[in-house]
Amino acid sequence: MMRAWLDRMAEAWEPPVARDLGGPYRFLWWLTRSQGRRVVLGATLGTVWMVGLTVPPWVLSRAVDEGLVGGDQAALVSWALVLLGVTVLNALVAIGRHRTMTKIRMDASYRSIRATVWHTSRLGSSLARRASAGEVVTVGISDVHIVAQALTVTGPGVGAVIAYAVVAVVLFTISPLLAAVVLAGVPLLVVAVGPFLQRIERTGSDYRGHQARLTTQLIDVLAGLRVLNGLGGKGFVADRYVEQSQRLVRRGYRVAGPASWVGALSTGLPALFLAAVVWLSARMAATGAISIGELVAVYGYVAVLVIPVASFIESGSDLARARVAGQRIIDLLNLPVPSDAGAPLPHGIGPLIDPASGVVVRPGLLTALVTARPAEATTVIERLGRLTDTRATWQDVRLDKVTRAELRRRLLVADNDAEVFAGTLREIVAGRRDPDDARIRTALHTAVAEDIVDARPAGLDARIAAGGSDLSGGQRQRIRLARAVYAEPDILLAIDPTSAVDANTEAAIVDRLRDARRTTTTLISTTSPLVLDRADEVVVLVDGKAALVGTHQELLGRDSYYRELVSRAQEDR
């Protein structure tokens, strides 16, 4: 009952506050404090287990002195049974300790992951400008587990300290000289291991930074692999990645060097320590200063000390690595969250104006944004969508002055890089909103995506793989558009939403999209003549500025640049 009470954890989760992010050790303290009862249980079981290891040598000494030396067969059998009982009991305690420490490490790992996910979701689109994808990945994959491993010090680490003190006291009853030698062992270990732990911290930080950069490079390469194949640059990028990987390997050796010394010393120093104490106690037994049974007990005590001494060294190594990993985690968690304070958005559906380019998105229209350089259109849409620094306005109200939550509810930027998470078609189209099958089917119809549902026996319950990997490029594009339509934003800004579909599907999408959003505002970046012909208004960008405005037919009739641009786009398609 007491164990169940100690291990019981509240279901509520609270994110770390500013004082918990003041340094790596404060973050470790937050992880410890967050599961205080379980940590108390782990420390208790760890202490009982390590102290329990000192009991068998004492029982064995009694069996030797009273049973073997004293010639008492009954005493020998009795002490042997006691030794068996103590060993079994200690084994059960060891199982409970291991189980509890595993739960402590898992809780710390998941709690750290939850904190990073919680904070990165608050950062939103600003995260990409402040941290690379590799940094976020290495924090989520490696750093949280290194930090969690360091919490082992709360169980076996605490037990090692107490067990060391108990052995020293017991040895003092046998021989003050032996106790003094044992107590002097830890300072010598600190002197021997300390420099290696400091080097692990220094080299580990450099290694983790390079690992994050290399992970970012790998993500970028995988994302652009098709383009690299088309350009014939895959070999060059692969050679460069190999070079960077080898550099990371060399830095890894710099970390592994001191780490291997710590591992060697955690085994070698306790063995030398054991040999020195056994030699001293054997000489004392030879002179009659201690009995044969006490010699056996001293050997057992010092052999037991190998475990807590090794725990000291391993805990120091874990804490040194956790200091580096913890700093990376709190660096991410300390990234400032954009303020959501501000004025409410005005009623209505526009106009939406970007002063930097002169683009005006008039309310109630389907507007096409066309340019010879698609990146220019994307830049304008990112400003209009407040994905970058902007002076864009909605009915003369600056977008950077309004509340972010309301802006994201009423204005949506849909692009072809939007993530398609694993789940059912219903869940994917509904997104964060409550699913309504009738509205979902309407959105799929608008995006000309009914065939995706009809082709699957499970219909809306059909499961889609992560990233939409079991869909074609055109299917993924239409699913993304259906999700944007289902959100029903007042203003929809879509970046080339028909680039991966055939001409017939493209024409149907634009017609249905215009009909479905007749009472709202829609902006589409495109160079497709089919889309341009169906748009209510076309805005032409030249060098990032709005140079021409009118209908498709008007611009074809009066501007040669526009005719050439559309003609070239039609030939490319």
Side-chain angles (χ1 to χ4, degrees), residues 15-95:
V17 297
R19 68 173 179 273
D20 300 323
L21 304 177
Y25 294 126
R26 289 193 177 185
F27 184 72
L28 285 171
W29 174 241
W30 172 71
L31 293 174
T32 303
R33 193 176 69 248
S34 298
Q35 48 177 331
R37 290 179 178 176
R38 188 176 293 145
V39 168
V40 169
L41 176 61
T44 301
L45 292 175
T47 300
V48 171
W49 174 67
M50 283 205 175
V51 172
L53 294 176
T54 67
V55 176
W58 180 82
V59 174
L60 188 60
S61 71
R62 297 297 92 206
V64 170
D65 283 343
E66 297 179 14
L68 293 178
V69 178
D72 189 340
Q73 189 71 22
L76 180 61
V77 172
S78 298
W79 285 115
L81 292 175
V82 171
L83 181 61
L84 176 63
V86 169
T87 303
V88 171
L89 182 61
N90 217 32
L92 295 175
V93 173
I95 293 172

Side-chain angles (χ1 to χ4, degrees), residues 333-403:
L333 296 179
N334 279 324
L335 291 176
V337 177
S339 174
D340 198 30
L345 278 173
H347 295 292
I349 52 176
L352 195 63
I353 303 174
D354 175 34
S357 64
V359 171
V360 178
V361 184
R362 294 199 291 157
L365 301 183
L366 172 61
T367 303
L369 187 63
V370 59
T371 175
R373 294 192 286 265
E376 292 179 353
T378 300
T379 300
V380 171
I381 289 178
E382 287 179 345
R383 286 199 298 264
L384 290 171
R386 193 179 153 184
L387 299 182
T388 58
D389 293 336
T390 182
R391 295 185 293 113
T393 61
W394 181 324
Q395 288 187 19
D396 298 327
V397 176
R398 285 272 296 264
L399 293 183
D400 57 358
K401 303 298 182 184
V402 303
T403 58

Side-chain angles (χ1 to χ4, degrees), residues 115-133:
T116 54
V117 170
W118 165 78
H119 190 67
T120 52
S121 66
R122 295 167 66 219
L123 290 169
S125 60
S126 67
L127 175 63
R129 301 191 301 273
R130 302 181 184 184
S132 67

Side-chain angles (χ1 to χ4, degrees), residues 23-335:
Y25 294 126
R26 289 193 177 185
F27 184 72
L28 285 171
W29 174 241
W30 172 71
L31 293 174
T32 303
R33 193 176 69 248
S34 298
Q35 48 177 331
R37 290 179 178 176
R38 188 176 293 145
V39 168
V40 169
L41 176 61
T44 301
L45 292 175
T47 300
V48 171
W49 174 67
M50 283 205 175
V51 172
L53 294 176
T54 67
V55 176
W58 180 82
V59 174
L60 188 60
S61 71
R62 297 297 92 206
V64 170
D65 283 343
E66 297 179 14
L68 293 178
V69 178
D72 189 340
Q73 189 71 22
L76 180 61
V77 172
S78 298
W79 285 115
L81 292 175
V82 171
L83 181 61
L84 176 63
V86 169
T87 303
V88 171
L89 182 61
N90 217 32
L92 295 175
V93 173
I95 293 172
R97 175 199 64 83
H98 180 75
R99 176 178 179 274
T100 303
M101 293 312 303
T102 299
K103 293 173 72 174
I104 288 174
R105 288 189 293 267
M106 291 179 65
D107 184 282
S109 179
Y110 293 139
R111 198 175 294 272
S112 299
I113 291 174
R114 187 169 181 179
T116 54
V117 170
W118 165 78
H119 190 67
T120 52
S121 66
R122 295 167 66 219
L123 290 169
S125 60
S126 67
L127 175 63
R129 301 191 301 273
R130 302 181 184 184
S132 67
E135 289 174 326
V136 177
V137 169
T138 53
V139 165
I141 293 179
S142 303
D143 293 329
V144 295
H145 297 296
I146 293 173
V147 168
Q149 179 63 33
L151 262 70
T152 302
V153 73
T154 63
V158 172
V161 173
I162 297 177
Y164 197 88
V166 169
V167 170
V169 170
V170 172
L171 286 178
F172 188 83
T173 62
I174 298 175
S175 168
L177 177 60
L178 292 175
V181 172
V182 169
L183 289 174
V186 171
L188 293 176
L189 291 175
V190 172
V191 172
V193 177
F196 293 106
L197 298 182
Q198 292 175 357
R199 188 176 176 187
I200 287 176
E201 288 188 25
R202 292 194 305 270
T203 57
S205 179
D206 183 53
Y207 173 79
R208 304 296 290 173
H210 189 83
Q211 184 183 39
R213 292 190 294 273
L214 191 61
T215 304
T216 300
Q217 182 178 339
L218 177 60
I219 293 172
D220 291 341
V221 169
L222 293 176
L225 193 57
R226 292 182 180 178
V227 177
L228 290 172
N229 281 333
L231 297 175
K234 186 172 66 173
F236 171 78
V237 173
D239 292 341
R240 184 177 179 184
Y241 184 79
V242 168
E243 179 187 348
Q244 295 290 332
S245 298
Q246 291 303 312
R247 189 177 302 174
L248 180 65
V249 169
R250 290 192 292 271
R251 295 190 179 189
Y253 286 149
R254 293 176 58 193
V255 179
S260 63
W261 272 105
V262 170
L265 292 175
S266 66
T267 303
L269 287 181
L272 293 175
F273 186 57
L274 172 64
V277 175
V278 169
W279 176 81
L280 180 60
S281 60
R283 288 184 60 85
M284 295 177 68
T287 60
I290 59 175
S291 67
I292 299 299
E294 288 174 331
L295 172 62
V296 173
V298 168
Y299 175 82
Y301 293 144
V302 180
V304 166
L305 279 181
V306 171
I307 297 176
V309 169
S311 293
F312 287 149
I313 299 175
E314 291 173 1
S315 296
S317 177
D318 289 341
L319 287 173
R321 295 171 67 233
R323 187 175 183 276
V324 175
Q327 186 62 53
R328 293 177 58 81
I329 294 175
I330 63 176
D331 285 345
L332 177 61
L333 296 179
N334 279 324
L335 291 176

Side-chain angles (χ1 to χ4, degrees), residues 400-420:
D400 57 358
K401 303 298 182 184
V402 303
T403 58
R404 182 178 296 272
E406 185 180 7
L407 179 65
R408 291 291 167 254
R409 180 177 60 84
R410 297 182 58 190
L411 185 150
L412 189 149
V413 177
D415 62 64
N416 294 317
D417 294 326
E419 187 61 53
V420 176

Side-chain angles (χ1 to χ4, degrees), residues 366 443 445-448 481 484-485 492 494 497-498 506-520 522-524 531:
L366 172 61
H445 173 77
T446 301
V448 195
L481 181 59
V485 171
L492 172 62
T498 61
E506 182 177 48
I509 288 175
V510 179
D511 288 338
R512 294 180 188 183
L513 186 63
R514 183 173 59 182
D515 291 340
R517 294 187 52 79
R518 220 171 258 290
T519 59
T520 54
T522 306
L523 173 69
I524 295 177
V531 179

